[in-house]
């Protein structure tokens, strides 16, 4: 009887050993897979530990300003002749800055289709004012700047203008690019449409900008 029991126990032990041995590879596989996955993550070039890195966002952009333009020569002296520069400033609101100011410069001249305008460097007449606000515009293509006076600004490059001149009211529309900025708008990009009017007799007018901005 004892011999029979020992035989049964020996067979059970052997069967258990075989069963354990067959389970070992299966139990180790997930550990091996996990190690490979973790290794790939560590060398993944898209991963970043830069705490200052942030994703850019794209949003609608809108602003409205009441403007005061002037008609001057290249030295900034008033003139009634063309070609001439049409620098100006404005106050109003921006959808991303609240209360804001704008600085503008255009060059007006007669061409094949009559009197037209193109963007001119905003720093030609407003470099000192912008620098006093901490804004250093280092791009000669920038023809207008919108700022909240708190270090944030958006820079616009004029692409194409459509202007209809009259003695009492001149309407205009322009396609512009956003080509940079300062503060939270540093390296901003985007496209927008400018539309508005001004009175050639006193330079008063208004403008709006609608488009998309990424920053």
């Amino acid at each position: 009887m004892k011999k029979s029991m020992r035989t049964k126990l020996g067979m059970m032990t052997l069967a258990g050993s075989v069963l354990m041995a067959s389970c070992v590879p299966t139990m180790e596989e997930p550990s091996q897979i996990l190690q490979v996955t973790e290794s790939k993550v560590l060398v993944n070039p898209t991963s970043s530990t830069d705490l200052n890195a942030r994703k850019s966002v794209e949003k609608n952009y809108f602003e409205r300003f009441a403007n005061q333009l002037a008609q001057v020569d290249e030295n900034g002296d008033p003139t009634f002749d063309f070609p001439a520069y049409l620098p100006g400033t404005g106050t109003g609101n921006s959808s991303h800055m609240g209360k804001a100011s704008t600085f503008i410069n255009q060059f007006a001249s007669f061409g094949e289709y009559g009197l037209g305008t193109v963007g001119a460097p905003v720093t030609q007449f407003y470099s000192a004012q912008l620098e006093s606000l901490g804004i250093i515009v280092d791009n000669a293509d920038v023809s207008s700047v919108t700022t909240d006076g708190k270090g944030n600004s958006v820079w616009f490059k004029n692409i194409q203008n459509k202007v209809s001149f009259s003695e009492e009211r001149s309407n205009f529309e322009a396609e512009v690019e956003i080509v940079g900025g300062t503060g939270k708008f540093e390296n901003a990009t985007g496209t927008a449409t400018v539309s508005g009017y001004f009175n050639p007799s006193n330079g008063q007018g208004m403008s709006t900008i609608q488009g998309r901005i990424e920053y």
Side-chain angles (χ1 to χ4, degrees):
M1 174 68 101
K2 290 182 180 180
K3 183 176 180 181
S4 176
M5 287 292 293
R6 285 198 297 268
T7 301
K8 288 182 179 180
L9 289 171
M11 292 178 66
M12 290 174 65
T13 302
L14 178 61
S17 299
V18 171
L19 179 62
M20 288 293 290
S22 66
C23 290
V24 169
T26 305
M27 294 174 65
E28 287 183 349
E29 273 187 40
S31 176
Q32 293 171 350
I33 293 173
L34 179 61
Q35 290 176 1
V36 171
T37 304
E38 289 177 345
S39 175
K40 286 182 178 180
V41 170
L42 290 174
V43 299
N44 189 343
T46 61
S47 62
S48 173
T49 57
D50 184 1
L51 298 179
N52 294 321
R54 65 178 181 86
K55 294 182 179 179
S56 62
V57 294
E58 184 177 357
K59 299 180 179 180
N60 290 330
Y61 184 88
F62 178 81
E63 63 180 48
R64 181 188 299 273
F65 287 97
N67 303 318
Q68 178 64 60
L69 304 181
Q71 184 173 324
V72 301
D73 61 21
E74 61 183 3
N75 298 315
D77 297 323
T79 180
F80 295 101
D81 298 325
F82 290 100
Y85 290 92
L86 300 175
T89 59
T91 57
N93 288 275
S94 162
S95 58
H96 293 272
M97 288 182 270
K99 291 183 178 180
S101 301
T102 185
F103 298 86
I104 312 159
N105 193 24
Q106 296 282 311
F107 179 71
S109 62
F110 284 101
E112 182 180 356
Y113 301 103
L115 193 59
T117 67
V118 295
V122 68
T123 53
Q124 182 177 3
F125 300 109
Y126 297 115
S127 178
Q129 291 90 328
L130 291 169
E131 289 181 9
S132 70
L133 296 173
I135 301 170
I136 309 298
V137 179
D138 55 2
N139 185 344
D141 289 332
V142 176
S143 58
S144 69
V145 171
T146 296
T147 177
D148 61 3
K150 302 175 183 178
N152 300 305
S153 69
V154 178
W155 302 355
F156 298 93
K157 173 185 176 181
N158 190 278
I159 302 300
Q160 184 177 8
N161 284 352
K162 296 179 181 178
V163 184
S164 60
F165 282 94
S166 71
E167 294 183 359
E168 296 182 355
R169 173 173 169 142
S170 293
N171 299 305
F172 59 85
E173 184 174 297
E175 300 301 319
V176 296
E177 288 182 4
I178 297 172
V179 293
T182 56
K184 66 180 180 180
F185 301 109
E186 185 176 1
N187 299 320
T189 59
T191 58
T193 300
V194 183
S195 59
Y197 67 88
F198 67 94
N199 186 331
S201 64
N202 58 26
Q204 295 178 357
M206 64 82 62
S207 63
T208 62
I209 295 181
Q210 298 184 70
R212 298 282 288 176
I213 185 171
E214 183 174 348
Y215 63 92

